[in-house]
Amino acid sequence: MRISELARRAGVTTKAVRYYEALGLVTPRRLANGYRDYDEDDVRLAQEIRALRSLGIPAERTRPFLDCLEAGRRHADDCPASLAGYRDAIDELTERIEALTARRAALISHLQEAAHRNSTVAPVHANHPPDQAGRAGHPHPAHEAEGLSDALTEDPMNDYLSLPDDLPVPDDDGAAGHLPGMKAPSTAFAGTAGETIRIDALGAGRTVIYVYPLTGRPGTDLPEGWDSIPGARGCTPESCGFRDHYQDLLAAGAAGVFGLSSQDTGYQREVVERLDLPFQMLSDPASDLAETLRLPTFEISGMTLYRRLTLIIRDGVIEHVFYPVFPPNEHAEQVLAWLRDNPL
């Protein structure tokens, strides 16, 4: 057969076939006119080279496998030399993995240092998440090496500023339908600026309060299965959206903007500093607002967290509610559009 036919049947290019010939891996016979003539054995060899290259074994190191086939074995890895070829490839791959893992650990260390350089909150090690009070955990020394390996395996480099394309969209289950027209409760919450904020004493005009589950922190894993919960992922992009449109929101009639979650004030303060938020976060660790207003929540990893929604409070009354919120990274623009469409 001609070289084009061999290439088609083996699933490679004619250039690849010529390369295999240059290495002496495929040796077609020559016809009287000088043309190369390939047979079924050449097809089998070319297919084997392609399969081994897909495993990361370069063509020039496939000779032991091809010799095994040419010796009449049914499989290219039925010979001891082939097994040795596998081991050599595995050893080289292991060395590369170790080098990349060390480089990745160094990058994580630099990221954490940079992310907390201007923060008054101590950084949290990737494999020691904060406890209920927001403090960094301190493992037993015997678990240090194992913990570092676990942290690298569990991908502590979560990119909280971007959203996966396949996030599930939350449904409107009617859990916020009762809120418009309700009076704002007298519940008070600690703010990240050190003051106490009462929901019924926000003053005249409109106040935007976006309620969210929790914000992630660089180097700290999110709860297992987080991305599969409709409406859970995206608190950091949402907060950045309100930061970027903060002045626009004020110009459109908002007297103030707050974020609210069940995370403690220390954790929220780190977020405010790291993201350079121009507004305060409010801490509701006991989910008091959920109880007084019957706000929707969900359970995960032993925590009760708020479902994402936004309240527009005007003169002590809930004027409008955004629920469900999706996509969270565009929500600040949705609120801004509503304020502009509904001027005071």
Side-chain angles (χ1 to χ4, degrees):
M1 69 184 74
R2 302 290 294 274
I3 188 172
S4 58
E5 175 68 10
L6 168 66
R8 183 187 66 80
R9 293 182 56 186
V12 298
T13 64
T14 56
K15 183 178 180 180
V17 175
R18 293 191 179 96
Y19 178 59
Y20 302 160
E21 289 185 42
L23 294 175
L25 302 176
V26 176
T27 55
R29 70 186 184 92
R30 290 280 184 172
L31 299 177
N33 58 8
Y35 289 157
R36 297 175 178 87
D37 183 34
Y38 303 89
D39 56 22
E40 294 298 329
D41 290 338
D42 295 322
V43 174
R44 177 76 185 280
L45 293 176
Q47 289 174 335
E48 188 63 34
I49 296 171
R50 179 175 61 86
L52 291 169
R53 292 188 66 185
S54 70
L55 295 175
I57 299 176
E60 56 269 21
R61 293 176 57 182
T62 61
R63 170 52 67 188
F65 298 88
L66 304 185
D67 287 345
C68 194
L69 287 178
E70 292 177 339
R73 297 298 182 92
R74 181 177 181 182
H75 301 286
D77 52 10
D78 282 341
C79 302
S82 304
L83 301 182
Y86 279 148
R87 294 191 187 97
D88 290 342
I90 292 171
D91 289 343
E92 290 188 5
L93 187 59
T94 300
E95 292 179 2
R96 291 174 58 191
I97 291 174
E98 290 174 349
L100 290 172
T101 299
R103 188 186 305 174
R104 186 170 184 268
L107 286 171
I108 292 172
S109 177
H110 282 284
L111 168 63
Q112 291 181 328
E113 180 181 353
H116 297 86
R117 184 172 294 131
N118 299 316
S119 173
T120 58
V121 182
V124 180
H125 194 276
N127 52 320
H128 313 319
D131 58 19
Q132 291 298 321
R135 299 182 294 269
H138 299 284
H140 190 281
H143 300 297
E144 284 287 356
E146 179 182 357
L148 177 58
S149 176
D150 291 343
L152 293 171
T153 302
E154 293 169 5
D155 192 17
M157 282 283 291
N158 285 312
D159 181 6
Y160 301 123
L161 293 177
S162 62
L163 298 176
D165 294 332
D166 57 349
L167 277 182
V169 180
D171 296 324
D172 187 354
D173 56 6
H178 63 286
L179 292 172
M182 290 185 66
K183 289 185 178 181
S186 59
T187 315
F189 302 103
T192 49
E195 55 186 305
T196 300
I197 305 296
R198 271 182 46 176
I199 301 300
D200 66 340
L202 295 172
R206 286 170 168 158
T207 298
V208 177
I209 301 179
Y210 69 95
V211 182
Y212 61 94
L214 61 81
T215 50
R217 179 181 291 180
T220 303
D221 289 331
L222 291 168
E224 185 176 356
W226 187 250
D227 286 0
S228 64
I229 301 174
R233 177 73 179 266
C235 299
T236 297
E238 181 183 24
S239 296
C240 290
F242 279 103
R243 175 200 63 195
D244 297 342
H245 292 285
Y246 179 67
Q247 293 299 330
D248 296 329
L249 292 165
L250 298 185
V257 176
F258 295 95
L260 184 146
S261 75
S262 58
Q263 292 173 294
D264 64 82
T265 302
Y267 198 103
Q268 291 180 332
R269 189 174 292 119
E270 188 277 337
V271 174
V272 169
E273 294 178 0
R274 173 163 47 86
L275 300 182
D276 195 23
L277 302 182
F279 49 83
Q280 294 191 70
M281 296 287 201
L282 306 179
S283 176
D284 184 12
S287 301
D288 291 332
L289 195 63
E291 182 176 351
T292 56
L293 291 180
R294 305 194 307 279
L295 298 185
T297 60
F298 66 97
E299 304 284 334
I300 185 172
S301 300
M303 300 181 291
T304 299
L305 303 176
Y306 279 107
R307 291 195 177 276
R308 196 183 309 277
L309 60 81
T310 295
L311 305 173
I312 306 295
I313 298 179
R314 178 180 178 182
D315 300 330
V317 176
I318 299 175
E319 179 184 14
H320 186 74
V321 179
F322 292 87
Y323 179 84
V325 170
F326 194 86
N329 59 324
E330 299 177 8
H331 181 52
E333 298 176 23
Q334 297 168 354
V335 175
L336 178 60
W338 185 89
L339 290 173
R340 288 171 172 170
D341 291 341
N342 298 273
L344 291 173

